[in-house]
């Protein structure tokens, strides 16, 4: 089966901008206090539950993966971009990183104690999100947690440049309630949400959702 064109565009674009991304995007320690608090709470929940490793999906250069590992979480990273994965492996040789797509994870059923999707789903066309969230549900262990964070809105963006380089990806900003509804329809229970207005380094509304895969009866 041919690869969806949006995946090819995302891979090519982030291969192009990988080095510039590292220079321009601040590390987790420089996020705003609320955005730092959500991953910290997520890390405590998955560490305490000890249901399995945590997959950082769309991990980019691995900074957030390493941040989770520093909080005592058994974390590994997955990204579409081989260049991003190369940078992650170089920066954090003791952690596991692999090239892959969240549309078809190379992970068995019920294997993960947690999934972090941190500003990594907005390049996914809305019609593909049910399949992506179904993969989240499939791979999470019963009781496992998902932390989703991204920009929100009601807009389709078609930039020609990103991080100072030509890009061909698109971004799809959805209302938070729609994302929450898609997670619920995938079988995940949303347990917390945080929505923030533009401010600081973020020039658009952004939000976090914490969700949980129910235990099997």
């Amino acid at each position: 089966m041919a690869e969806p064109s949006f995946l090819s565009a995302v891979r090519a674009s982030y291969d192009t901008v990988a080095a510039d991304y590292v220079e321009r995007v601040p590390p987790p320690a420089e996020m705003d206090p609320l955005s730092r608090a959500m991953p910290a709470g997520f890390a405590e929940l998955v560490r305490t539950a000890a249901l399995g490793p945590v997959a950082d999906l769309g991990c980019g250069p691995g900074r957030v993966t390493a941040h989770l590992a520093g909080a005592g979480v058994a974390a590994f990273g997955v990204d579409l971009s081989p260049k991003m994965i190369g940078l992650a492996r170089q920066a954090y040789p003791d952690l596991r990183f692999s090239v892959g797509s969240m549309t078809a994870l190379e992970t068995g059923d019920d294997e993960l104690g947690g999934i972090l999707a941190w500003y990594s789903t907005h390049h996914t066309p809305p019609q593909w999100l049910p399949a992506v969230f179904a993969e989240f549900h499939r791979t999470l262990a019963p009781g496992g947690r998902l932390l989703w964070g991204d920009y929100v809105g009601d807009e389709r963006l078609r930039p020609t440049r990103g991080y100072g380089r030509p890009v061909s990806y698109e971004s799809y900003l959805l209302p938070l309630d729609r994302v929450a509804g898609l997670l619920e329809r995938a079988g995940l229970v949303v347990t917390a949400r945080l929505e923030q207005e533009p401010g600081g380094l973020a020039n658009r509304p952004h939000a976090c959702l914490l969700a949980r895969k129910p235990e099997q009866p």
Side-chain angles (χ1 to χ4, degrees), residues 174-186:
L174 302 180
L176 185 58
D177 284 344
R178 184 174 176 188
V179 178
L182 289 170
L183 290 174
E184 295 274 1
R185 283 194 283 278

Side-chain angles (χ1 to χ4, degrees), residues 191-203:
T191 58
R193 62 176 68 197
L194 170 68
E195 189 166 9
Q196 296 179 255
E197 294 302 318
L201 296 174
N203 58 4

Side-chain angles (χ1 to χ4, degrees), residues 29-111:
E30 296 179 20
M31 292 189 297
D32 68 88
L34 290 178
S35 294
R36 290 198 306 270
M38 291 295 280
F42 170 74
E44 182 175 350
L45 287 169
V46 296
R47 186 179 63 243
T48 302
L51 295 173
V54 171
D56 179 7
L57 302 181
C59 66
R63 287 172 168 170
V64 182
T65 319
H67 185 71
L68 289 176
V73 174
F76 67 95
V78 179
D79 200 275
L80 265 177
S81 164
K83 290 287 183 66
M84 285 289 198
I85 290 298
L87 291 173
R89 289 171 174 167
Q90 182 178 3
Y92 310 105
D94 295 334
L95 298 180
R96 175 162 62 98
F97 296 97
S98 59
V99 177
S101 170
M102 65 180 71
T103 62
L105 295 169
E106 295 182 2
T107 303
D109 296 353
D110 303 337
E111 282 192 4

